[in-house]
Amino acid sequence: MMCAGLRESCGLVGVFGHRQASSLLYHGLFSLQHRGQESCGIVVSDGERVFSHRGMGLVASVFSPQTLNELRGSSGIGHVRYSTTGSSSEANIQPFDVASRGRRLAIAHNGNLVNSELLRSRMEKAGSIFQTTTDTEVIVHLLARSRGKTLREKVLDVMPKLRGAFCLLIFSPGELIAVKDPWGFRPLCVGRLSGGGMMIASESCAFDLTGARYERELEPGEVLTVSRQGVFRDLLPRRRVSRCIFEFIYFARPDSRVFGASVYRTRRRLGEQLAREVPFTGDLVVPIPDSGTIAGLGFSHASGIPVELGIIRNHYVGRTFIQPLQTSREMGVRIKLNPVREVLNGRRVILVEDSLVRGTTSRQRVRSVRAAGARRVFLALTCPPIRFPCFYGIDFPTRKELVAATHSVEEIRASLGLDGLHYLSFDGMLSAMELPADGFCTACFSGRYPLFPSGFRGKHQFEEDNARFSCA
């Protein structure tokens, strides 16, 4: 990806009614590692006892064969996290596992509430004490305060109070509840396990690894309860459907189905549409791995320009490797992606990528391609300029940090040292989608927000409050 710091919030996996729940959850989280690399956790139950394990880092490093063997149960939930509200810290690792009125409850959240500060402030004034700086803990407190008699009743009582993006897995011994907000911002799908049982995940690629059969996407506003008594389906009042279009442009794995549509086909169509629009031509199409690869294939197919792997990604670079050795941003870029001189030398190169946020990484990338001998360098992007921040679960920077919010396309082209720069048109992006155009959230491009935050002050709003309190 040509941008630095573009992150999605989280990945969710839930299993109900299978004797190898912890193994299925582990492999499901492994499939969703791209959705969160800061921390992860699993909570399971054998129907009476609850077992959990959480930690900072990647799934493979947090869970060992021994810890998985100790997670004994037939049902549970798992979570991988990128922080969008609340910092990356041990206190904020999910799933949260709490006791309320003698009952164990675990919750995992993907998304971002836009009214969490308002809700938290009210509860703190009423005496509630918070131990984390996430918006997810707000939901935990609301569930604990609800007068509903059953967990299902509590969930149906609390959900109408929430505004924003929230896919939730709520778990207690003998019961698993999946929730999607009424706007449908984030994906969440249901699968059927061989040998019995159900699986719920943010993306269908989690089913492929575990052998589950994809059944369907949860509807916006759906509350799905799976228990020993059966499967129950409730629907909250639906709002205007606002699926995040960036799931198709960048976040979801290309082998997944999200919102019921194929990510692979959509990315290929984005590349084909991009090829129809660009005002320049070249000798080679070079996708930026891995997010630009499939769009690059589509671009090549539609334009007739051959595609080459002119940039190679080092797949063994992780966050922990880059940080201690990175003496400059340029070195970090060179460690991760390296141009192939034999492919690029003397050629007119069209780089294909998904998006451009700040532009700092892109400048180094263009410089390295030129250093490898490229005669001319063009950049074609599979989405329009990102000019507005996201409040619904993508860690887009503030508007002043978005290069397209403060600079023209020509200014960006010159700053990056490109011979040509083209963003996919807004209408072209929508035409490449397999779902109806009016069912997407495109606020980061247009500034037209489906719902506006109620006092939301950014990712670290609750840390800032704690800091002020500590200094008082």
Side-chain angles (χ1 to χ4, degrees):
M1 185 173 55
M2 297 295 281
C3 48
L6 178 57
R7 300 176 177 179
E8 220 268 352
S9 51
C10 304
L12 309 177
V13 183
V15 169
F16 189 88
H18 197 285
R19 58 186 179 84
Q20 295 181 328
S22 62
S23 176
L24 293 170
L25 290 167
Y26 171 82
H27 287 98
L29 291 181
F30 201 89
S31 300
L32 299 176
Q33 187 73 87
H34 60 287
R35 298 187 72 90
Q37 300 176 23
E38 294 177 355
S39 62
C40 56
I42 289 176
V43 176
V44 297
S45 174
D46 59 7
E48 295 180 359
R49 298 169 297 175
V50 175
F51 307 92
S52 67
H53 185 77
R54 307 183 306 162
M56 299 294 294
L58 303 178
V59 174
S61 62
V62 170
F63 295 98
S64 66
Q66 180 180 346
T67 57
L68 288 173
N69 286 334
E70 293 170 354
L71 295 172
R72 297 183 296 276
S74 60
S75 302
I77 61 175
H79 186 270
V80 288
R81 182 173 191 252
Y82 261 147
S83 51
T84 55
T85 296
S87 61
S88 178
S89 65
E90 290 188 2
N92 290 338
I93 302 174
Q94 296 187 33
F96 292 150
D97 177 19
V98 301
S100 175
R101 299 178 185 177
R103 182 174 190 172
R104 292 288 290 273
L105 175 72
I107 184 170
H109 175 205
N110 173 28
N112 225 44
L113 301 182
V114 299
N115 65 335
S116 59
E117 185 174 29
L118 178 63
L119 293 171
R120 178 166 171 154
S121 176
R122 288 175 179 171
M123 285 187 283
E124 285 179 329
K125 289 177 181 177
S128 295
I129 298 174
F130 287 78
Q131 299 185 20
T132 76
T133 55
T134 71
D135 52 352
T136 310
E137 193 180 3
V138 171
I139 305 173
V140 175
H141 279 264
L142 288 172
L143 289 169
R145 294 159 64 99
S146 172
R147 295 182 180 180
K149 294 181 180 179
T150 66
L151 181 58
R152 179 184 173 195
E153 290 177 356
K154 289 177 180 290
V155 170
L156 293 173
D157 174 50
V158 167
M159 294 306 113
K161 298 181 174 72
L162 306 179
R163 291 175 58 81
F166 53 94
C167 280
L168 304 170
L169 291 179
I170 303 168
F171 174 72
S172 67
E175 195 168 17
L176 172 63
I177 299 179
V179 182
K180 181 184 282 192
D181 66 75
W183 296 269
F185 283 107
R186 299 276 153 226
L188 195 62
C189 54
V190 182
R192 194 66 72 163
L193 290 161
S194 58
M198 295 185 68
M199 189 169 186
I200 299 168
S202 295
E203 297 180 32
S204 66
C205 63
F207 300 157
D208 298 332
L209 188 59
T210 59
R213 184 182 74 254
Y214 175 90
E215 285 197 341
R216 65 181 181 89
E217 180 82 14
L218 263 72
E219 292 186 26
E222 182 173 353
V223 178
L224 185 70
T225 304
V226 186
S227 70
R228 296 164 183 154
Q229 287 71 45
V231 179
F232 305 92
R233 185 169 175 267
D234 301 284
L235 287 175
L236 304 171
R238 183 180 292 189
R239 306 299 183 95
R240 180 185 173 186
V241 177
S242 304
R243 304 178 187 94
C244 175
I245 203 164
F246 241 92
E247 291 285 350
F248 289 106
I249 294 169
Y250 172 73
F251 286 121
R253 260 178 49 169
D255 52 335
S256 284
R257 293 175 69 183
V258 296
F259 304 124
S262 166
V263 178
Y264 185 98
R265 284 200 306 265
T266 301
R267 288 202 186 143
R268 189 173 177 102
R269 285 160 58 107
L270 285 166
E272 290 169 352
Q273 180 61 32
L274 185 61
R276 299 183 190 107
E277 293 185 7
V278 291
F280 40 74
T281 190
D283 303 312
L284 293 176
V285 174
V286 176
I288 304 295
D290 288 321
S291 57
T293 302
I294 294 162
L297 293 175
F299 190 105
S300 174
H301 178 262
S303 65
I305 302 172
V307 63
E308 291 278 0
L309 301 181
I311 296 177
I312 303 301
R313 178 182 174 187
N314 183 345
H315 288 271
Y316 298 96
V317 175
R319 292 164 57 84
T320 55
F321 174 71
I322 291 177
Q323 287 174 356
L325 296 181
Q326 183 174 334
T327 56
S328 69
R329 183 177 296 275
E330 182 176 1
M331 179 59 71
V333 172
R334 289 165 57 190
I335 289 172
K336 186 175 181 180
L337 296 175
N338 193 45
V340 182
R341 176 175 291 274
E342 290 77 7
V343 173
L344 304 175
N345 190 32
R347 316 300 284 277
R348 297 173 300 164
V349 177
I350 301 176
L351 301 175
V352 175
E353 180 55 308
D354 59 276
S355 57
L356 184 68
V357 179
R358 293 183 180 90
T360 48
T361 303
S362 309
R363 191 173 298 109
Q364 301 297 338
R365 183 77 61 246
V366 173
R367 193 174 297 168
S368 69
V369 171
R370 286 201 186 279
R375 182 158 57 92
R376 303 192 75 187
V377 183
F378 306 97
L379 176 60
L381 301 161
T382 59
C383 73
I386 301 169
R387 295 192 171 102
F388 301 90
C390 174
F391 302 111
Y392 312 127
I394 301 177
D395 190 18
F396 277 156
T398 59
R399 191 160 190 235
K400 65 181 180 181
E401 295 177 275
L402 296 169
V403 65
T406 55
H407 297 79
S408 68
V409 173
E410 174 56 26
E411 288 172 334
I412 298 170
R413 182 206 64 75
S415 173
L416 299 183
L418 290 162
D419 295 295
L421 170 64
H422 183 80
Y423 291 87
L424 183 63
S425 68
F426 187 82
D427 290 340
M429 174 185 67
L430 292 176
S431 71
M433 297 295 134
E434 295 186 336
L435 298 170
D438 61 358
F440 285 104
C441 174
T442 57
C444 54
F445 309 120
S446 65
R448 295 189 292 271
Y449 292 95
L451 68 162
F452 211 73
S454 302
F456 181 77
R457 291 182 284 111
K459 173 178 176 178
H460 299 293
Q461 59 183 357
F462 298 132
E463 277 99 345
E464 292 168 359
D465 291 342
N466 289 348
R468 282 197 295 269
F469 180 78
S470 298
C471 294

